[in-house]
Amino acid sequence: MIVRPKKSLGQHFLTDKNIAKDIVALLKADNLTKVLEIGPGMGVLTNFLLENSAYETSVIEIDSESVDYLNDHFPQLKDRIIFGDFLRIDLAEKISAQPFALIGNLPYNISSQIFFKVLENKELIPEIVCMLQKEVAKRIASGPGSKVYGILSVFLQAWYTIEYLIDVPPHVFDPPPKVQSAVIRLTANGRTELGCNEKLFFKVVKQSFNQRRKMLRNSIKGFSPRIDELDPVLLTRRPEQLSVAEFIDLTNSIEQLMAAPI
Ligand code: SAM
């Protein structure tokens, strides 16, 4: 029995075992004893994860047919096969209260949501190795000045070092996706605090990129009627030109303006 691929769950099964082995080998899991795989499907990555005794592997899969398959083929995983939705699970309670590494050939339709969940749990997840749509991988890994640098690049690069590692063509999947794929690795950069109000940082970055072609003056004016008191050169820049450090500075400046009496 094999699992029938379901489009709604982003199921494109990797058929090339060498690539699966290469992806698993990218996981360093330094000082980590647990690994969680998102969306194991028929276990092409799981198989290699289980060969490594330096860490204990758990998997979370939303598809009951895949879960049945995994129970049949990987009896050694036993109660570490979690039937559930990665986006909804309480990771600290159900997986581990200690930091663990995350790996997966992601369901591409929800990859951004997966990264927002990672950000919410960043203290628990110091390393991620994942395959995703090449375009999204490029965006996440690109720096300021690039046309594809965006909200997720800034949020993730605030906390992680991102390496773009392998290109993967469509024909090694069943069914082949319509897009190219790529593997990236995110490693915690050691930062424990941003150096600004995190909630405001989130809002400033989002607001700035809402109008990515526009000068900051236009996109962030809603934060304070005194926005023109900020550095005039800064106000003429576009969000795609700002580094994480500059967004942090901008957040601090905006917070000061918001606190100042009108
Ligand atoms: N790892 C397998 C492979 O490489 O062949 C399957 C990868 S496939 C691209 C994505 C997998 O994620 C599917 O097995 C799908 O059922 C599962 N999935 C989709 N949404 C999920 C979710 N919210 N939580 C957990 N697993 C999910």
Side-chain angles (χ1 to χ4, degrees), residues 1 49 63 91 98 107 153 169 180 199 209 221 226 228 261:
M1 157 210 151
L49 288 165
D63 174 34
L91 292 170
Q98 299 304 317
S153 339
Q180 299 284 329
K199 281 199 177 128
F209 278 104
K221 62 182 176 212
R226 296 170 55 175
D228 280 330

Side-chain angles (χ1 to χ4, degrees), residues 207-262:
Q207 195 60 40
S208 305
F209 278 104
N210 262 348
Q211 297 173 288
R212 63 176 298 134
R213 304 258 110 239
K214 294 235 167 114
M215 288 190 261
L216 285 174
R217 170 181 286 112
N218 298 304
S219 31
I220 61 172
K221 62 182 176 212
F223 286 104
S224 165
R226 296 170 55 175
I227 215 73
D228 280 330
E229 291 176 29
L230 294 182
D231 173 4
V233 178
L234 174 72
L235 289 174
T236 61
R237 297 178 74 194
R238 292 181 173 76
E240 61 201 24
Q241 300 171 308
L242 261 61
S243 66
V244 171
E246 287 171 316
F247 271 114
I248 292 172
D249 289 346
L250 176 63
T251 305
N252 282 326
S253 305
I254 290 178
E255 187 164 40
Q256 275 173 19
L257 275 188
M258 289 167 79
I262 298 175

Side-chain angles (χ1 to χ4, degrees), residues 3 6 8-15 20 23 37-46 59-64 66 70 82-89 103-110 113-114 131 172-174:
V3 176
K6 296 158 208 76
S8 62
L9 296 178
Q11 289 182 340
H12 295 275
F13 297 113
L14 180 62
T15 53
I23 294 174
E37 184 188 354
I38 305 179
M42 286 186 280
V44 66
L45 299 181
T46 323
V59 302
I60 178 159
E61 174 56 67
I62 201 168
D63 174 34
S64 62
S66 295
L70 294 163
I82 298 152
F83 176 32
D85 182 345
F86 175 78
L87 296 178
R88 289 167 171 265
I89 191 175
I103 190 165
N105 170 12
L106 302 184
Y108 296 176
N109 50 342
I110 57 164
Q113 293 171 68
I114 289 174
M131 174 138 67
V172 298
F173 297 90
D174 176 31

Side-chain angles (χ1 to χ4, degrees), residues 6-233:
K6 296 158 208 76
K7 207 176 163 190
S8 62
L9 296 178
Q11 289 182 340
H12 295 275
F13 297 113
L14 180 62
T15 53
D16 187 320
K17 290 205 166 63
N18 289 321
I19 296 179
K21 192 175 182 177
D22 289 348
I23 294 174
V24 171
L26 292 171
L27 197 68
K28 292 182 280 181
D30 289 339
N31 303 317
L32 299 174
T33 53
K34 282 187 198 266
V35 171
L36 175 66
E37 184 188 354
I38 305 179
M42 286 186 280
V44 66
L45 299 181
T46 323
N47 191 35
F48 293 106
L49 288 165
L50 290 172
E51 281 181 2
N52 193 326
S53 58
Y55 47 74
E56 183 185 70
T57 299
S58 301
V59 302
I60 178 159
E61 174 56 67
I62 201 168
D63 174 34
S64 62
E65 201 184 343
S66 295
V67 168
D68 290 344
Y69 181 99
L70 294 163
N71 276 316
D72 283 351
H73 291 78
F74 299 95
Q76 67 274 47
L77 266 173
K78 287 189 209 138
D79 51 358
R80 286 179 283 119
I81 301 176
I82 298 152
F83 176 32
D85 182 345
F86 175 78
L87 296 178
R88 289 167 171 265
I89 191 175
D90 182 329
L91 292 170
E93 192 189 316
K94 298 278 191 247
I95 304 298
S96 165
Q98 299 304 317
F100 57 87
L102 199 61
I103 190 165
N105 170 12
L106 302 184
Y108 296 176
N109 50 342
I110 57 164
S111 57
S112 296
Q113 293 171 68
I114 289 174
F115 285 115
F116 280 107
K117 169 114 184 183
V118 165
L119 285 165
E120 279 166 25
N121 292 275
K122 54 188 181 302
E123 290 82 11
L124 266 188
I125 310 177
E127 185 187 355
I128 303 125
V129 169
C130 61
M131 174 138 67
L132 69 170
Q133 189 173 336
K134 178 173 180 171
E135 194 191 307
V136 181
K138 285 257 183 228
R139 193 182 316 148
I140 289 174
S142 72
S146 151
K147 281 211 172 76
V148 292
Y149 180 65
I151 293 176
L152 212 45
S153 339
V154 178
F155 289 161
L156 287 169
Q157 289 169 29
W159 304 101
Y160 294 96
T161 300
I162 301 170
E163 297 162 278
Y164 184 101
L165 296 169
I166 315 178
D167 283 320
V168 184
H171 68 83
V172 298
F173 297 90
D174 176 31
K178 290 205 176 72
V179 293
Q180 299 284 329
S181 302
V183 182
I184 57 173
R185 178 168 56 207
L186 296 85
T187 314
N189 61 13
R191 200 197 287 263
T192 51
E193 282 187 9
L194 267 192
C196 69
N197 177 329
E198 262 186 56
K199 281 199 177 128
L200 186 59
F201 174 79
F202 216 75
K203 286 185 192 158
V204 169
V205 174
K206 271 193 160 168
Q207 195 60 40
S208 305
F209 278 104
N210 262 348
Q211 297 173 288
R212 63 176 298 134
R213 304 258 110 239
K214 294 235 167 114
M215 288 190 261
L216 285 174
R217 170 181 286 112
N218 298 304
S219 31
I220 61 172
K221 62 182 176 212
F223 286 104
S224 165
R226 296 170 55 175
I227 215 73
D228 280 330
E229 291 176 29
L230 294 182
D231 173 4
V233 178

